[in-house]
Amino acid sequence: MKRINLGGTSLSVPRIVVGCMRLNELRPAQIETLVAGALECGANFFDHADIYGRGECESLFAKAIGMNAAKREKMILQSKCDIRPEQQMYDCSKAYLLSAADGILSRLQTDYLDILLLHRPDALMEPEEVAEAFDRLHSTGKVRYFGVSNQNPGQIRLLQKYLPQKLLIDQLQLSITNSTMISSGIHVNMLDDAAVCRDDGVLDYCRLHEITIQAWSPFQYGMFEGTFLQNPKFPELNKTLSELAQKYAVSETTIAAAWVLRHPAKMQLIAGTTKLSRLQEICGATDLTLSREDWYAIYRAAGNTIP
């Protein structure tokens, strides 16, 4: 498994992150098998959130693997908070962040998180309060590093102004079919819809400031509408993926993952699969570097245009 340094730090992390959003669909023995297989592949980075299964996914994870100090030290554990689904709102208040972090630690049966992310931008966020919460969590050893999810450059700059800790991560949706953060850069100064920048140039901002992008839903189209792999809605894309899978002697899943990893931003890819065989295919993408010609062929096959 190829690794990168996270957010300009010395923390070495795998290119593939194991997403734990759907662990509550598995039996404990299946979770144990998935985690063991991930570790065997070198994918020792596990991404959680307190809303995944309303916290059940974190609890199931810790219980299924029999969390203890020896197992904990083999893993990088990340979780996210600030979404309050019952109230249909986001909450980055100091009190809520501290409470949410304690809940995460309790469910994961660990004394510390490697990384805590703010899950969604809170319109009522007061960055000074977030800074106080992060300082408390960091000084007490409960959280080592921090980041955000689904935030644009302006939101990150505002928060970073008040934080002594550097924000290392921005989790963003990216797939072959959901690639506006890439296409808007290709279509600069063009009079077409693809030129519209919807994220304030977050891709280049993260590269300039050494913030690691974690690509979520890397095989999805739309907003959780389903995977584009083997989907009749995307005949040209799947034809191209199939041809390249034969060329490189890997699966279409591996090719699709390699497309994300080929970008020079040195992203991590969050694999949300619950199937070990598919996770292994995704991990295989870290050993494959698509040619420039093949990367652009996939990009065009998804309906993206070159001006």
Side-chain angles (χ1 to χ4, degrees), residues 11-283:
L11 179 61
S12 175
V13 297
R15 296 294 306 272
I16 305 301
V17 175
V18 182
C20 299
M21 184 172 70
R22 296 164 54 205
L23 288 187
N24 58 342
E25 299 175 7
L26 302 179
R27 298 187 300 275
Q30 292 174 310
I31 297 174
E32 185 178 17
T33 297
L34 181 67
V35 172
L39 293 174
E40 188 173 338
C41 290
N44 68 329
F45 194 124
F46 298 89
D47 175 66
H48 293 270
D50 60 358
I51 65 162
Y52 293 167
R54 298 294 197 270
E56 183 182 18
C57 293
E58 291 171 329
S59 297
L60 286 171
F61 177 88
K63 185 176 181 180
I65 67 171
M67 182 68 80
N68 56 41
K71 291 181 179 180
R72 175 67 184 91
E73 289 306 309
K74 295 178 181 178
M75 301 176 176
I76 299 170
L77 293 184
Q78 170 178 284
S79 194
K80 304 180 288 293
C81 66
D82 85 12
I83 299 178
R84 301 183 68 175
E86 291 81 6
Q87 291 80 12
Q88 296 186 346
M89 69 179 198
Y90 306 139
D91 190 345
C92 284
S93 65
K94 176 182 176 181
Y96 187 75
L97 293 179
L98 292 175
S99 174
D102 283 341
I104 291 167
L105 294 173
S106 176
R107 289 187 295 272
L108 287 174
Q109 298 180 29
T110 181
D111 294 329
Y112 71 96
L113 276 178
D114 293 285
I115 307 143
L116 178 67
L117 308 183
L118 300 181
H119 205 158
R120 285 278 179 181
D122 174 14
L124 301 181
M125 180 193 77
E126 297 185 36
E128 298 92 337
E129 278 203 46
V130 177
E132 290 176 7
F134 281 9
D135 278 345
R136 176 81 61 84
L137 293 170
H138 189 263
S139 65
T140 55
K142 293 181 178 181
V143 180
R144 295 181 174 179
Y145 301 100
F146 300 91
V148 296
S149 179
N150 306 300
Q151 292 203 14
N152 66 33
Q155 293 165 329
I156 295 172
R157 284 195 297 268
L158 174 62
L159 183 56
Q160 188 66 78
K161 176 182 177 180
Y162 296 89
L163 294 176
Q165 304 89 8
K166 182 179 184 291
L167 295 170
L168 304 185
I169 293 165
D170 193 5
Q171 262 191 29
L172 298 163
Q173 185 177 17
L174 175 67
S175 71
I176 299 168
T177 55
N178 289 44
S179 56
T180 56
M181 74 168 73
I182 294 173
S183 60
S184 62
I186 292 176
H187 286 255
V188 167
N189 204 37
M190 296 291 104
L191 298 177
D192 55 34
D193 289 343
V196 178
C197 182
R198 295 175 171 84
D199 53 36
D200 194 23
V202 70
L203 174 58
D204 291 334
Y205 179 85
C206 287
R207 293 182 71 182
L208 284 167
H209 293 272
E210 294 187 297
I211 297 172
T212 298
I213 291 175
Q214 294 180 341
W216 59 266
S217 289
F219 307 104
Q220 293 277 325
Y221 69 94
M223 188 70 171
F224 301 118
E225 294 179 48
T227 179
F228 54 76
L229 292 167
Q230 308 301 321
N231 190 319
K233 291 183 178 181
F234 302 95
E236 186 62 28
L237 174 57
N238 280 290
K239 177 176 179 290
T240 301
L241 292 174
S242 179
E243 291 171 351
L244 292 176
Q246 293 181 43
K247 173 182 175 179
Y248 289 96
V250 296
S251 72
E252 288 91 342
T253 296
T254 303
I255 295 294
W259 185 87
V260 174
L261 297 178
R262 175 65 172 82
H263 194 278
K266 295 183 174 61
M267 305 177 196
Q268 288 182 291
L269 180 147
I270 301 177
T273 183
T274 56
K275 296 180 180 179
L276 178 56
S277 59
R278 190 151 185 258
L279 177 61
Q280 291 168 334
E281 291 177 354
I282 295 168
C283 290

